[in-house]
PDB file of all heavy atoms in Angstrom:
ATOM      1  N   THR A   1      11.413   5.217 -13.190  1.00 79.00           N
ATOM      2  CA  THR A   1      10.873   6.133 -12.178  1.00 79.00           C
ATOM      3  C   THR A   1       9.362   5.976 -12.064  1.00 79.00           C
ATOM      4  O   THR A   1       8.815   5.886 -10.954  1.00 79.00           O
ATOM      5  CB  THR A   1      11.216   7.590 -12.541  1.00 79.00           C
ATOM      6  OG1 THR A   1      12.637   7.726 -12.635  1.00 79.00           O
ATOM      7  CG2 THR A   1      10.687   8.555 -11.493  1.00 79.00           C
ATOM      8  N   GLU A   2       8.677   5.920 -13.212  1.00 75.00           N
ATOM      9  CA  GLU A   2       7.226   5.729 -13.207  1.00 75.00           C
ATOM     10  C   GLU A   2       6.857   4.402 -12.551  1.00 75.00           C
ATOM     11  O   GLU A   2       5.954   4.334 -11.708  1.00 75.00           O
ATOM     12  CB  GLU A   2       6.691   5.745 -14.646  1.00 75.00           C
ATOM     13  CG  GLU A   2       6.816   7.082 -15.344  1.00 75.00           C
ATOM     14  CD  GLU A   2       6.412   6.984 -16.808  1.00 75.00           C
ATOM     15  OE1 GLU A   2       6.262   5.848 -17.315  1.00 75.00           O
ATOM     16  OE2 GLU A   2       6.246   8.030 -17.450  1.00 75.00           O
ATOM     17  N   GLY A   3       7.567   3.327 -12.952  1.00 77.00           N
ATOM     18  CA  GLY A   3       7.266   2.002 -12.427  1.00 77.00           C
ATOM     19  C   GLY A   3       7.513   1.886 -10.935  1.00 77.00           C
ATOM     20  O   GLY A   3       6.724   1.268 -10.205  1.00 77.00           O
ATOM     21  N   THR A   4       8.608   2.488 -10.468  1.00 75.00           N
ATOM     22  CA  THR A   4       8.918   2.446  -9.040  1.00 75.00           C
ATOM     23  C   THR A   4       7.855   3.173  -8.227  1.00 75.00           C
ATOM     24  O   THR A   4       7.412   2.678  -7.173  1.00 75.00           O
ATOM     25  CB  THR A   4      10.293   3.073  -8.775  1.00 75.00           C
ATOM     26  OG1 THR A   4      11.299   2.344  -9.496  1.00 75.00           O
ATOM     27  CG2 THR A   4      10.626   3.053  -7.291  1.00 75.00           C
ATOM     28  N   ALA A   5       7.420   4.327  -8.702  1.00 71.00           N
ATOM     29  CA  ALA A   5       6.386   5.088  -7.993  1.00 71.00           C
ATOM     30  C   ALA A   5       5.091   4.295  -7.888  1.00 71.00           C
ATOM     31  O   ALA A   5       4.480   4.205  -6.811  1.00 71.00           O
ATOM     32  CB  ALA A   5       6.142   6.415  -8.713  1.00 71.00           C
ATOM     33  N   LEU A   6       4.672   3.691  -9.006  1.00 73.00           N
ATOM     34  CA  LEU A   6       3.439   2.900  -8.994  1.00 73.00           C
ATOM     35  C   LEU A   6       3.568   1.671  -8.100  1.00 73.00           C
ATOM     36  O   LEU A   6       2.645   1.332  -7.353  1.00 73.00           O
ATOM     37  CB  LEU A   6       3.082   2.477 -10.418  1.00 73.00           C
ATOM     38  CG  LEU A   6       2.638   3.594 -11.368  1.00 73.00           C
ATOM     39  CD1 LEU A   6       2.504   3.054 -12.788  1.00 73.00           C
ATOM     40  CD2 LEU A   6       1.316   4.201 -10.905  1.00 73.00           C
ATOM     41  N   SER A   7       4.726   1.019  -8.161  1.00 77.00           N
ATOM     42  CA  SER A   7       4.941  -0.177  -7.339  1.00 77.00           C
ATOM     43  C   SER A   7       4.945   0.150  -5.853  1.00 77.00           C
ATOM     44  O   SER A   7       4.397  -0.608  -5.033  1.00 77.00           O
ATOM     45  CB  SER A   7       6.264  -0.850  -7.728  1.00 77.00           C
ATOM     46  OG  SER A   7       6.221  -1.314  -9.061  1.00 77.00           O
ATOM     47  N   MET A   8       5.551   1.267  -5.470  1.00 72.00           N
ATOM     48  CA  MET A   8       5.581   1.662  -4.063  1.00 72.00           C
ATOM     49  C   MET A   8       4.177   1.970  -3.540  1.00 72.00           C
ATOM     50  O   MET A   8       3.816   1.581  -2.430  1.00 72.00           O
ATOM     51  CB  MET A   8       6.484   2.887  -3.890  1.00 72.00           C
ATOM     52  CG  MET A   8       7.958   2.585  -4.026  1.00 72.00           C
ATOM     53  SD  MET A   8       8.536   1.361  -2.830  1.00 72.00           S
ATOM     54  CE  MET A   8       8.212   2.216  -1.282  1.00 72.00           C
ATOM     55  N   LEU A   9       3.375   2.643  -4.348  1.00 71.00           N
ATOM     56  CA  LEU A   9       2.006   2.945  -3.927  1.00 71.00           C
ATOM     57  C   LEU A   9       1.196   1.660  -3.754  1.00 71.00           C
ATOM     58  O   LEU A   9       0.417   1.523  -2.801  1.00 71.00           O
ATOM     59  CB  LEU A   9       1.339   3.871  -4.947  1.00 71.00           C
ATOM     60  CG  LEU A   9       1.865   5.307  -4.996  1.00 71.00           C
ATOM     61  CD1 LEU A   9       1.250   6.066  -6.167  1.00 71.00           C
ATOM     62  CD2 LEU A   9       1.574   6.039  -3.687  1.00 71.00           C
ATOM     63  N   LYS A  10       1.387   0.712  -4.683  1.00 78.00           N
ATOM     64  CA  LYS A  10       0.692  -0.579  -4.569  1.00 78.00           C
ATOM     65  C   LYS A  10       1.167  -1.360  -3.350  1.00 78.00           C
ATOM     66  O   LYS A  10       0.366  -2.011  -2.661  1.00 78.00           O
ATOM     67  CB  LYS A  10       0.921  -1.399  -5.845  1.00 78.00           C
ATOM     68  CG  LYS A  10       0.195  -0.865  -7.066  1.00 78.00           C
ATOM     69  CD  LYS A  10       0.495  -1.712  -8.289  1.00 78.00           C
ATOM     70  CE  LYS A  10      -0.227  -1.162  -9.522  1.00 78.00           C
ATOM     71  NZ  LYS A  10       0.092  -1.962 -10.749  1.00 78.00           N
ATOM     72  N   LEU A  11       2.474  -1.296  -3.070  1.00 78.00           N
ATOM     73  CA  LEU A  11       3.034  -2.003  -1.920  1.00 78.00           C
ATOM     74  C   LEU A  11       2.470  -1.451  -0.616  1.00 78.00           C
ATOM     75  O   LEU A  11       2.106  -2.211   0.300  1.00 78.00           O
ATOM     76  CB  LEU A  11       4.557  -1.882  -1.927  1.00 78.00           C
ATOM     77  CG  LEU A  11       5.303  -2.535  -0.761  1.00 78.00           C
ATOM     78  CD1 LEU A  11       5.054  -4.036  -0.744  1.00 78.00           C
ATOM     79  CD2 LEU A  11       6.803  -2.255  -0.857  1.00 78.00           C
ATOM     80  N   ILE A  12       2.388  -0.126  -0.529  1.00 73.00           N
ATOM     81  CA  ILE A  12       1.832   0.498   0.671  1.00 73.00           C
ATOM     82  C   ILE A  12       0.374   0.077   0.863  1.00 73.00           C
ATOM     83  O   ILE A  12      -0.058  -0.281   1.970  1.00 73.00           O
ATOM     84  CB  ILE A  12       1.950   2.030   0.581  1.00 73.00           C
ATOM     85  CG1 ILE A  12       3.419   2.449   0.659  1.00 73.00           C
ATOM     86  CG2 ILE A  12       1.157   2.707   1.699  1.00 73.00           C
ATOM     87  CD1 ILE A  12       3.665   3.911   0.357  1.00 73.00           C
ATOM     88  N   LYS A  13      -0.392   0.109  -0.228  1.00 75.00           N
ATOM     89  CA  LYS A  13      -1.806  -0.264  -0.151  1.00 75.00           C
ATOM     90  C   LYS A  13      -1.978  -1.711   0.268  1.00 75.00           C
ATOM     91  O   LYS A  13      -2.820  -2.031   1.125  1.00 75.00           O
ATOM     92  CB  LYS A  13      -2.472  -0.032  -1.509  1.00 75.00           C
ATOM     93  CG  LYS A  13      -3.962  -0.322  -1.511  1.00 75.00           C
ATOM     94  CD  LYS A  13      -4.586  -0.016  -2.869  1.00 75.00           C
ATOM     95  CE  LYS A  13      -6.087  -0.312  -2.856  1.00 75.00           C
ATOM     96  NZ  LYS A  13      -6.712  -0.009  -4.175  1.00 75.00           N
ATOM     97  N   GLN A  14      -1.167  -2.601  -0.318  1.00 79.00           N
ATOM     98  CA  GLN A  14      -1.268  -4.017   0.015  1.00 79.00           C
ATOM     99  C   GLN A  14      -0.869  -4.280   1.466  1.00 79.00           C
ATOM    100  O   GLN A  14      -1.492  -5.095   2.158  1.00 79.00           O
ATOM    101  CB  GLN A  14      -0.380  -4.839  -0.921  1.00 79.00           C
ATOM    102  CG  GLN A  14      -0.552  -6.345  -0.786  1.00 79.00           C
ATOM    103  CD  GLN A  14      -1.958  -6.797  -1.095  1.00 79.00           C
ATOM    104  OE1 GLN A  14      -2.528  -6.429  -2.108  1.00 79.00           O
ATOM    105  NE2 GLN A  14      -2.554  -7.588  -0.183  1.00 79.00           N
ATOM    106  N   SER A  15       0.174  -3.578   1.943  1.00 73.00           N
ATOM    107  CA  SER A  15       0.613  -3.735   3.325  1.00 73.00           C
ATOM    108  C   SER A  15      -0.480  -3.300   4.301  1.00 73.00           C
ATOM    109  O   SER A  15      -0.679  -3.913   5.355  1.00 73.00           O
ATOM    110  CB  SER A  15       1.885  -2.933   3.573  1.00 73.00           C
ATOM    111  OG  SER A  15       2.944  -3.400   2.759  1.00 73.00           O
ATOM    112  N   ILE A  16      -1.195  -2.249   3.940  1.00 72.00           N
ATOM    113  CA  ILE A  16      -2.299  -1.764   4.779  1.00 72.00           C
ATOM    114  C   ILE A  16      -3.423  -2.800   4.822  1.00 72.00           C
ATOM    115  O   ILE A  16      -3.959  -3.119   5.887  1.00 72.00           O
ATOM    116  CB  ILE A  16      -2.826  -0.423   4.245  1.00 72.00           C
ATOM    117  CG1 ILE A  16      -1.792   0.677   4.483  1.00 72.00           C
ATOM    118  CG2 ILE A  16      -4.153  -0.054   4.920  1.00 72.00           C
ATOM    119  CD1 ILE A  16      -2.121   1.978   3.783  1.00 72.00           C
ATOM    120  N   MET A  17      -3.762  -3.364   3.654  1.00 72.00           N
ATOM    121  CA  MET A  17      -4.844  -4.345   3.589  1.00 72.00           C
ATOM    122  C   MET A  17      -4.491  -5.619   4.350  1.00 72.00           C
ATOM    123  O   MET A  17      -5.367  -6.288   4.915  1.00 72.00           O
ATOM    124  CB  MET A  17      -5.155  -4.681   2.127  1.00 72.00           C
ATOM    125  CG  MET A  17      -5.639  -3.490   1.302  1.00 72.00           C
ATOM    126  SD  MET A  17      -7.097  -2.662   1.999  1.00 72.00           S
ATOM    127  CE  MET A  17      -8.316  -3.975   1.834  1.00 72.00           C
ATOM    128  N   ASP A  18      -3.183  -5.945   4.374  1.00 71.00           N
ATOM    129  CA  ASP A  18      -2.746  -7.154   5.095  1.00 71.00           C
ATOM    130  C   ASP A  18      -2.498  -6.901   6.566  1.00 71.00           C
ATOM    131  O   ASP A  18      -2.205  -7.835   7.320  1.00 71.00           O
ATOM    132  CB  ASP A  18      -1.455  -7.690   4.456  1.00 71.00           C
ATOM    133  CG  ASP A  18      -1.681  -8.202   3.039  1.00 71.00           C
ATOM    134  OD1 ASP A  18      -2.844  -8.467   2.679  1.00 71.00           O
ATOM    135  OD2 ASP A  18      -0.690  -8.322   2.292  1.00 71.00           O
ATOM    136  N   GLY A  19      -2.600  -5.650   6.989  1.00 70.00           N
ATOM    137  CA  GLY A  19      -2.252  -5.299   8.365  1.00 70.00           C
ATOM    138  C   GLY A  19      -3.384  -5.403   9.368  1.00 70.00           C
ATOM    139  O   GLY A  19      -3.222  -5.012  10.529  1.00 70.00           O
ATOM    140  N   GLY A  20      -4.517  -5.917   8.926  1.00 72.00           N
ATOM    141  CA  GLY A  20      -5.639  -6.070   9.847  1.00 72.00           C
ATOM    142  C   GLY A  20      -6.299  -4.748  10.181  1.00 72.00           C
ATOM    143  O   GLY A  20      -6.051  -3.710   9.555  1.00 72.00           O
ATOM    144  N   LEU A  21      -7.129  -4.802  11.244  1.00 70.00           N
ATOM    145  CA  LEU A  21      -7.899  -3.627  11.642  1.00 70.00           C
ATOM    146  C   LEU A  21      -7.003  -2.467  12.063  1.00 70.00           C
ATOM    147  O   LEU A  21      -7.254  -1.304  11.712  1.00 70.00           O
ATOM    148  CB  LEU A  21      -8.861  -3.993  12.776  1.00 70.00           C
ATOM    149  CG  LEU A  21      -9.751  -2.863  13.305  1.00 70.00           C
ATOM    150  CD1 LEU A  21     -10.649  -2.332  12.196  1.00 70.00           C
ATOM    151  CD2 LEU A  21     -10.587  -3.351  14.485  1.00 70.00           C
ATOM    152  N   GLY A  22      -5.909  -2.786  12.774  1.00 67.00           N
ATOM    153  CA  GLY A  22      -5.011  -1.730  13.226  1.00 67.00           C
ATOM    154  C   GLY A  22      -4.365  -0.994  12.071  1.00 67.00           C
ATOM    155  O   GLY A  22      -4.268   0.240  12.074  1.00 67.00           O
ATOM    156  N   GLY A  23      -3.961  -1.750  11.067  1.00 64.00           N
ATOM    157  CA  GLY A  23      -3.349  -1.126   9.898  1.00 64.00           C
ATOM    158  C   GLY A  23      -4.321  -0.239   9.154  1.00 64.00           C
ATOM    159  O   GLY A  23      -3.967   0.850   8.694  1.00 64.00           O
ATOM    160  N   LYS A  24      -5.560  -0.694   9.043  1.00 67.00           N
ATOM    161  CA  LYS A  24      -6.570   0.091   8.330  1.00 67.00           C
ATOM    162  C   LYS A  24      -6.931   1.363   9.087  1.00 67.00           C
ATOM    163  O   LYS A  24      -7.142   2.424   8.490  1.00 67.00           O
ATOM    164  CB  LYS A  24      -7.807  -0.760   8.084  1.00 67.00           C
ATOM    165  CG  LYS A  24      -7.557  -1.906   7.114  1.00 67.00           C
ATOM    166  CD  LYS A  24      -8.768  -2.802   6.954  1.00 67.00           C
ATOM    167  CE  LYS A  24      -8.446  -3.975   6.023  1.00 67.00           C
ATOM    168  NZ  LYS A  24      -9.588  -4.905   5.893  1.00 67.00           N
ATOM    169  N   LEU A  25      -6.992   1.257  10.421  1.00 69.00           N
ATOM    170  CA  LEU A  25      -7.278   2.454  11.222  1.00 69.00           C
ATOM    171  C   LEU A  25      -6.135   3.465  11.108  1.00 69.00           C
ATOM    172  O   LEU A  25      -6.353   4.676  10.983  1.00 69.00           O
ATOM    173  CB  LEU A  25      -7.502   2.066  12.685  1.00 69.00           C
ATOM    174  CG  LEU A  25      -8.800   1.320  13.000  1.00 69.00           C
ATOM    175  CD1 LEU A  25      -8.819   0.854  14.449  1.00 69.00           C
ATOM    176  CD2 LEU A  25     -10.010   2.219  12.715  1.00 69.00           C
ATOM    177  N   GLY A  26      -4.915   2.949  11.137  1.00 64.00           N
ATOM    178  CA  GLY A  26      -3.766   3.838  10.989  1.00 64.00           C
ATOM    179  C   GLY A  26      -3.742   4.499   9.631  1.00 64.00           C
ATOM    180  O   GLY A  26      -3.433   5.688   9.499  1.00 64.00           O
ATOM    181  N   ALA A  27      -4.099   3.727   8.608  1.00 62.00           N
ATOM    182  CA  ALA A  27      -4.135   4.277   7.259  1.00 62.00           C
ATOM    183  C   ALA A  27      -5.192   5.360   7.131  1.00 62.00           C
ATOM    184  O   ALA A  27      -4.984   6.359   6.431  1.00 62.00           O
ATOM    185  CB  ALA A  27      -4.411   3.162   6.262  1.00 62.00           C
TER     186      ALA A  27
END
């Protein structure tokens, strides 16, 4: 449970960083 929570937060952050300007503005 701990690992899944941390991994999901990291995945969301990485997806935002890879999403360009639009992703960052949305975030």
Side-chain angles (χ1 to χ4, degrees):
T1 302
E2 293 174 348
T4 300
L6 291 172
S7 296
M8 287 301 298
L9 290 173
K10 289 179 181 178
L11 178 62
I12 292 171
K13 183 178 180 180
Q14 188 61 49
S15 298
I16 290 170
M17 298 304 295
D18 294 342
L21 180 61
K24 293 176 183 177
L25 289 173

